[in-house]
Amino acid sequence: MGLQAFIDQQLAPDKIDDSASEQRLSDFASLNMSASEAAYLLNDTPAVNELNAATVARALYSERQLYEVMTNFWSEHFSIWHYKEKDTVLKADDDHNVVRKHALGKFRDILGASARSPAMLVYLDNAKSNKAHPNENYGREVMELHTVTIGAYTETDVQEVARCFTGWTMQNGVGDFYFNKATHDDGAKTVLGHTIAAGGGQQDGETVLDILATHPDTALHIASKLCRRFIADDPPVSAVKAAQQAFLQSGGDIPTVLRVIFATPEFLNAPPRFKRPWEYVISLVRAVDGQPTDRLFGG
């Protein structure tokens, strides 16, 4: 097929027939449930086992190889420990509606979906955040880990972002996303030098996400992580800069950024690099056409 044809194919995963891989998961009822359905219908351990098994099976058997690499990338970027409280049953919804839905889409879309994800609301305690007691966990992590990263914001920014996301919670305390106007701080705020007028309601949080998604430091952070993933642990500055520019010019379009990375001399001539244990085991089983038969591996 050749390298360029393979890249073109892999960047259009919807055009790749992956029905044989997905058929292995047909018994896993939890994978396509809404957060509300999962919260009320699922038991903790079976839900976690099905999600773990689906992750392994897709990595082993999917023809959409780049897509699976990127779902792993974003799962780690928007990391959620799925043994915290109800996240044992909510993480599958996050996997389906955040990571897998937007893995090769626009960064602003995956960032927004993550902010509204019930699993993320539980994990970083924003479901409990209200105007009387704003919780700063998500406000800090959305900047430190998900977007602009350390050095681009102040403690005051953390406090203001936390205020913007008060009222972002779940229906009946566990379930699908819900904006509770009564618990939202509707006063004026200032985030990274941008004034957010009073009375914005849910739009306060959306405005913060717009600011963060278009910030040059976010572009640099994402570009650096992608180059680290695909080129080298210490990514070359020239490739990172090219990826950053592609991010900014395309409005955070992930396939566009990847195309730029894959066209750089640094990628085409990258030295060998060590695989992590997960990658090593998966690639080994794929290389020998391994066929695990246990149900938990999609057999």
Side-chain angles (χ1 to χ4, degrees):
M1 178 184 289
L3 176 60
Q4 190 57 53
F6 178 73
I7 289 173
D8 291 341
Q9 178 204 60
Q10 291 295 311
L11 283 170
D14 290 345
K15 297 180 180 180
I16 301 173
D17 181 7
D18 211 29
S19 56
S21 172
E22 289 301 302
Q23 181 61 34
R24 293 175 177 271
L25 312 177
S26 58
D27 291 338
F28 292 176
S30 66
L31 298 183
N32 297 315
M33 285 186 178
S34 70
S36 291
E37 291 173 328
Y40 291 106
L41 297 178
L42 297 180
N43 294 318
D44 294 356
T45 301
V48 170
N49 287 347
E50 288 191 354
L51 178 57
N52 289 341
T55 301
V56 174
R58 284 165 166 158
L60 286 175
Y61 302 114
S62 177
E63 297 296 328
R64 301 170 177 177
Q65 297 178 41
L66 177 60
Y67 174 70
E68 292 303 325
V69 169
M70 290 305 297
T71 60
N72 177 256
F73 176 88
W74 293 119
S75 292
E76 295 181 347
H77 184 78
F78 295 103
S79 179
I80 294 172
W81 185 53
H82 57 284
Y83 286 96
K84 178 176 178 178
E85 300 172 12
K86 270 295 184 179
D87 276 349
T88 49
V89 297
L90 295 175
K91 183 61 176 79
D93 169 78
D94 182 90
D95 185 73
H96 180 69
N97 289 310
V98 178
V99 176
R100 303 190 68 80
K101 183 176 181 179
H102 301 290
L104 285 173
K106 292 274 191 177
F107 179 75
R108 174 62 178 84
D109 292 337
I110 195 170
L111 178 67
S114 176
R116 293 185 293 274
S117 165
M120 186 64 78
L121 290 168
V122 169
Y123 179 54
L124 292 179
D125 303 308
N126 207 81
K128 304 172 184 176
S129 187
N130 59 73
K131 59 186 177 183
H133 302 286
N135 189 293
E136 297 179 7
N137 286 356
Y138 180 72
R140 185 179 307 280
E141 300 305 323
V142 73
M143 291 189 286
E144 179 177 336
L145 300 181
H146 302 167
T147 57
V148 294
T149 202
I150 295 172
Y153 62 89
T154 66
E155 285 299 307
T156 299
D157 288 318
V158 172
Q159 295 163 6
E160 295 290 87
V161 170
R163 292 177 60 211
C164 288
F165 283 103
T166 51
W168 286 49
T169 185
M170 297 176 293
Q171 293 177 350
N172 301 318
V174 58
D176 296 321
F177 171 78
Y178 171 70
F179 175 69
N180 189 340
K181 184 177 180 180
T183 63
H184 177 66
D185 182 338
D186 231 4
K189 299 107 175 165
T190 302
V191 174
L192 297 177
H194 297 262
T195 300
I196 299 175
Q202 183 179 340
Q203 185 58 40
D204 289 355
E206 299 292 348
T207 298
V208 169
L209 297 175
D210 290 340
I211 293 169
L212 294 175
T214 56
H215 198 287
D217 285 347
T218 296
L220 179 60
H221 182 47
I222 302 301
S224 298
K225 292 190 70 171
L226 287 170
C227 288
R228 189 174 300 119
R229 175 62 185 81
F230 288 106
I231 299 178
D233 292 338
D234 185 14
V237 173
S238 54
V240 171
K241 289 295 185 184
Q244 181 190 22
Q245 283 301 113
F247 186 103
L248 292 170
Q249 292 171 2
S250 68
D253 185 67
I254 301 306
T256 298
V257 178
L258 291 176
R259 283 189 185 278
V260 167
I261 292 173
F262 297 155
T264 62
E266 294 86 351
F267 171 79
L268 296 171
N269 300 291
R273 57 195 298 268
F274 287 107
K275 295 178 180 180
R276 296 183 301 176
W278 160 257
E279 296 164 343
Y280 183 81
V281 172
I282 293 298
S283 64
L284 178 62
V285 177
R286 286 181 68 103
V288 301
D289 195 25
Q291 297 292 326
T293 56
D294 191 290
R295 178 177 180 274
L296 290 182
F297 292 95

